[in-house]
Amino acid sequence: MPVNVAIVGPTGAGKTTLFAAMTAGRGADGVGMVDIPDERLDRLTLAVNPARKTPAQVRVEDSPPGSRAQRVAFARQADVLVKVAGCFGPDPDPVAELEEFALDLVLADLASVEKRLDIVAKEARAGKKDAQAESEVLAAAKEHLDAGQQLRTLALETDQRQLLLGIFPVTLKPAVYVANAAEELLAGGGEPAAKVHEHAAGEGAPAITLSARLEAELAELEAAEQAEMRVGYGIDESGLGRIARAVWEAGGLITYFTAGEPEVRAWPCERDAPAPIAASKIHTDFEKHFIRAEVTSVDELVAAGSMDALRAAGKLRIEGRDYRVRDGDVIFFRIGRTN
């Protein structure tokens, strides 16, 4: 399943314009698949010369109009939130607008925590295992939310975090902030964008400054024309590429590759995933029937030209079920019979 990214934020911040830019106008009904740019995939394609090249993708959805409850429900179904802040127009106050939007999410999580606390209290009195531990985590979460703080900023151990996931907390989701600035203020974005970056840093979240309108216009141009226009605005790379990398990092993802004559492909995978879990991204049966992984790096494969050449030279690493896949690995999975 692709990573789900929800574009959210205050009204009028430019969410729909950013969605149009990210999907290059190919989205439909507020939903689109976005390719993740990766120069390593391009290098592998030149070396292997496959029939097709397939980049990793994320599923991006534009925030629909609706009630406060509908906006919260929309954010809750995502894996990563892209929070857009409007940093243009007369006297913008993006941080105040972001805090007002975040309050809706905080209140929604608070209601969920309080409801669950009532249930767990009864379970604890009945002697249910782990009820006391969950009650303590929920109580800490309630105190944090009561103070107007998002759960993402609450210090949690891995097992405590797992206990909270049952209430589907929206403020625990990773977030990437986008300071949507006026074109004339690029590349820095001016004081409003600086305030957004400071706000994001306080939460330990990444922030990117761009002009959604400019990025939407650039998406309609050829690569050479895009590069020329970016130079004029003092921008050294696509803002959309920076968002993609930030989403990858915030979502705890890495990229591994498969490479052969039929296809060179980039695959998203959770950081530190064991090799069988990574194999399941290709096909769910591969996890159960995993035998071993033959692993190399992008640089080694580019130099050799093919996995077969590396295999013949005995230069592929053989890894078992406990191997933790690394960002940039090129892997050939050996799979047993699946029928």
Side-chain angles (χ1 to χ4, degrees):
M1 293 293 291
V3 177
N4 288 308
V5 177
I7 301 177
V8 299
T11 301
K15 300 183 292 296
T16 298
T17 305
L18 181 62
F19 172 79
M22 293 183 72
T23 58
R26 298 192 303 268
D29 298 322
V31 179
M33 299 300 296
V34 176
D35 295 342
I36 302 301
D38 195 319
E39 57 85 21
R40 298 171 299 182
L41 183 67
D42 298 331
R43 289 167 56 205
L44 286 171
T45 300
L46 288 173
V48 177
N49 192 28
R52 63 182 179 274
K53 174 180 74 171
T54 305
Q57 291 186 319
V58 294
R59 180 183 183 273
V60 177
E61 190 167 356
D62 185 19
S63 178
S67 67
R68 177 180 300 176
Q70 287 172 321
R71 293 196 299 270
V72 171
F74 169 75
R76 185 166 273 144
Q77 54 81 37
D79 299 310
V80 180
L81 304 179
V82 171
K83 296 186 174 182
V84 185
C87 301
F88 51 85
D91 301 320
D93 194 355
V95 172
E97 292 180 349
L98 284 170
E99 289 176 342
E100 183 179 352
F101 172 77
L103 182 59
D104 290 342
L105 307 184
V106 166
L107 292 174
D109 277 355
L110 182 59
S112 298
V113 166
E114 289 175 339
K115 182 177 180 180
R116 182 60 186 163
L117 264 172
D118 289 340
I119 295 172
V120 172
K122 295 175 183 177
E123 293 175 346
R125 289 194 294 270
K128 183 178 179 181
K129 183 181 178 182
D130 298 329
Q132 184 59 39
E134 184 179 358
S135 179
E136 291 172 1
V137 174
L138 288 167
K142 181 180 184 304
E143 182 179 356
H144 199 70
L145 293 163
D146 273 331
Q149 301 298 310
Q150 300 186 63
L151 292 176
R152 195 169 55 255
T153 62
L154 176 62
L156 292 167
E157 300 293 336
T158 301
D159 57 340
Q160 294 175 319
R161 185 183 180 90
Q162 286 298 124
L163 288 172
L164 279 181
L165 292 180
I167 62 168
F168 304 102
V170 68
T171 66
L172 196 59
K173 292 182 180 296
V176 174
Y177 283 86
V178 174
N180 184 14
E183 294 175 22
E184 62 270 18
L185 294 178
L186 295 175
E191 184 179 353
K195 290 181 178 178
V196 172
H197 280 254
E198 183 180 354
H199 177 77
E203 295 183 5
I208 290 101
T209 296
L210 52 72
S211 165
R213 185 171 66 177
L214 176 61
E215 293 291 345
E217 292 174 358
L218 290 171
E220 299 176 357
L221 302 178
E222 297 295 330
E225 293 177 297
Q226 287 189 29
E228 185 177 345
M229 280 194 67
R230 290 189 194 284
V231 169
Y233 283 99
I235 307 168
D236 58 359
E237 66 170 320
S238 164
L240 307 181
R242 287 181 285 138
I243 291 176
R245 287 201 303 274
V247 164
W248 231 235
E249 181 66 24
L253 298 171
I254 62 169
T255 304
Y256 76 85
F257 303 90
T258 53
E261 291 183 2
E263 181 184 45
V264 168
R265 182 161 182 167
W267 299 90
C269 181
E270 295 79 11
R271 190 180 296 121
D272 295 326
I277 298 296
S280 73
K281 307 302 177 183
I282 299 174
H283 194 288
T284 53
D285 285 347
F286 284 10
E287 179 182 358
K288 180 180 179 182
H289 299 281
F290 174 90
I291 296 176
R292 66 178 183 272
E294 298 177 355
V295 186
T296 187
S297 68
V298 171
D299 288 341
E300 289 176 335
L301 182 53
V302 167
S306 72
M307 295 290 276
D308 286 341
L310 286 170
R311 190 176 292 111
K315 292 184 177 181
L316 288 178
R317 303 195 323 268
I318 306 301
E319 304 287 359
R321 301 186 69 87
D322 294 333
Y323 176 68
R324 303 286 173 166
V325 172
R326 302 171 187 169
D327 186 58
D329 278 351
V330 186
I331 306 177
F332 182 84
F333 291 106
R334 294 290 182 181
I335 306 298
R337 295 184 63 178
T338 59
N339 54 17

